[in-house]
Amino acid sequence: MQSATWGAGGRPRGRPRWTRATSLVVAMGVAGTMVGPTGAMPAAGLETTQVIRSHGAVAHQVPADPHVDRPGPEKRPDGRPAPGEGRRDRSERPGEHAPRPGPETTDKTTDETRVVDAASPVPAGGASRIRSSGWRPKADVSLSLVGPDGGPVGGAVAVTANAEGRVTGHVTVPVPAGAAAGAYTVVGTDEDGGSATARIDVYAPSLEATSPVPAAGRTGIASGGWRAASDVTLRLADLDGNPAGDPTTVTTDEDGDVPAGTVLAVPAVPAGTTLTVVARDDAGARVTDEVTVIAANDPVVDVSSPVPAGGEIPVTSSGWPGETDLVLRLADAAGAAAGDPVTVTTDADGTVPAGTTVPVPAGTVAGVHTLTAADGAGRTVSDELRVYAPSLEVEPSDDPDACARVASSGWLPRSEVTLRATSTDGARQGAPTTATADEDGTLTDVCAPVPDDVPRDDVTVVAVDDEGGRATTTPAADPMSGTPARTVGAGLEVGDGARSAGTPVAVLTLVVDAATLVAARLASLFPTG
């Protein structure tokens, strides 16, 4: 048996000593005594019953109840405990040698946990910075760019996730320089078939500088496609990239356009020098255009092209004497005048006022035209432009509820055209339809929804593009009858000319059918009154 001196808290004090007994049952009562074979012993605060084996380990312990006399262990006639009594196998101890849970081995990476974060907006020719997580550790991940039409753009970028399933470092997905503006998607995929996506907006600035330009003059800048309300820096450089003149910074409007009338000063370089106009923003977008420098006293004129028939031609011109009247004329390829001339007065620097335009008559034939600027001293300069003239027809249909199917051509190649069917008075309008012209400027298989309750012979179709091109038409035939619609003007008399006395009947309808004609004829034969 093991004996010990018990201290406060029920713990033995000093090195225990063994006696001949194999075990000791110690009952700790709530009254603070420890009851053993030899009687009560102090046991401050002990409130359990313990069975202590000969090697000193506690075999078991249970809460003590001060109101219940607990039976001791079953004993043999000689007083020794029965075999196995007072002993418990180690496996019976609560929590001891119990199986412990191992590390989680299930791969929890799912499409919900995979994340791709891509920097946006991104200029065409730039790159989107990528951050990504949620992949399987050390997984090979492929990052690719998908265009607005769902097709791949450029090549894929291969990366490997780290031990935490993250894509780290300076990882970017490039956007090709020729990419069109629009919404693109960065797609990340791994070898397990998992994927994650992120949207980026691509913008594609454009730049046009007037050329030629006189030395020490100014080149006009037309530029758009930038981020709204962003700063754009313009500068000139020679063919080696060296700066030429001072840069200027402008702020785009809400549409991403450089302010109208923006100019860039040209240094006094020799005539025949070619300079590059460079425009860029702080996101890395960069576009260029070239200008040719001419002698300082030579006037120049520059026009925008192409221009739709019925539109206006923006004109820039410089190099004239200050406060000089100029006449601007438009002529077709044969030299015949197209529309009326426009007279303007140059400013003190000999430059045509910003915003000067020359109208193109609506009936102008498509083709190459020439705009000429001349002063009273015999100096003349000119520039060519191309006029386009779209046409539009509505094809007959036997279905009164179908949309208005149109045939149209003469648009700019690959341009977007918006069509809308309306009632003739414009009071009721159908939903707009957008179509893209082919390489020849033709629209095929396009149908414009007709407004509800609008007769098919009272439908007008209007088509417009982003450059101001416009084409309209009113169907000339009733598709249900195949009979051309006829218009009778207000106040027309219907009859044979010589009539009996009475009040003539005037037909005031726009579309005359057979019943109306019969009624009118009878009224003329049998006048009232």
Side-chain angles (χ1 to χ4, degrees), residues 6-11 26-35 41-51 58 60-68 70:
W6 298 84
R11 299 181 181 273
V26 182
M28 277 63 72
V30 295
T33 58
M34 180 170 65
V35 182
M41 295 179 290
L46 297 179
E47 299 180 359
T48 59
T49 298
Q50 299 181 342
V51 177
V58 177
H60 63 271
Q61 59 183 15
V62 296
D65 188 340
H67 305 292
V68 179
R70 299 186 179 277

Side-chain angles (χ1 to χ4, degrees), residues 251-271:
T251 302
T252 62
D253 61 18
E254 61 183 6
D255 296 322
D257 296 330
V258 166
T262 297
V263 295
L264 194 58
V266 176
V269 296

